[in-house]
Amino acid sequence: MRFGNGEDVIEKFNKLVQDKIMEEYVEKFKELKSLIKALDPTLLEAYNISSFFSGLKNDIRLMFKILKPTKLMQAVKQVKWQEE
């Protein structure tokens, strides 16, 4: 699946990283995840969580990976809570 500019959605999803504002990262992640889910609805929740954590800044990723969330929304809430 490609965006209008020809960029592959899977490539974009795999390269997504948190630059500065957590909220921007979360919104872009959700947007891309929904496109990926449309391509493959069988993806496991563990894949989504791993992908979410892999794009976070190192200090945040390490802190929250320890908590081992089992649901993506749980991971998102934990990370957003930390930023407040």
Side-chain angles (χ1 to χ4, degrees), residues 9-48:
V9 68
I10 295 170
E11 181 180 351
K12 184 93 170 171
F13 183 71
N14 289 334
K15 290 182 177 180
L16 182 65
V17 293
Q18 177 194 3
D19 291 327
K20 295 179 182 161
I21 301 172
M22 177 63 70
E23 190 64 35
E24 289 176 7
Y25 172 74
V26 169
E27 290 308 311
K28 192 65 177 173
F29 181 87
K30 287 179 181 179
E31 175 188 328
L32 291 170
K33 183 182 78 72
S34 67
L35 294 173
I36 296 291
K37 189 167 178 97
L39 291 172
D40 185 355
T42 64
L43 285 177
L44 298 174
E45 187 74 357
Y47 173 80
N48 293 326

Side-chain angles (χ1 to χ4, degrees), residues 15-19 25 50-57 61:
K15 290 182 177 180
L16 182 65
V17 293
Q18 177 194 3
D19 291 327
Y25 172 74
S50 179
S51 295
F52 178 72
F53 280 132
S54 70
L56 292 173
K57 293 178 182 178
R61 177 179 48 237

Side-chain angles (χ1 to χ4, degrees), residues 22-23 26 30 76-84:
M22 177 63 70
E23 190 64 35
V26 169
K30 287 179 181 179
V76 170
K77 286 179 185 178
Q78 289 171 343
V79 169
K80 287 171 90 175
W81 172 80
Q82 182 273 339
E83 190 173 69
E84 291 177 356

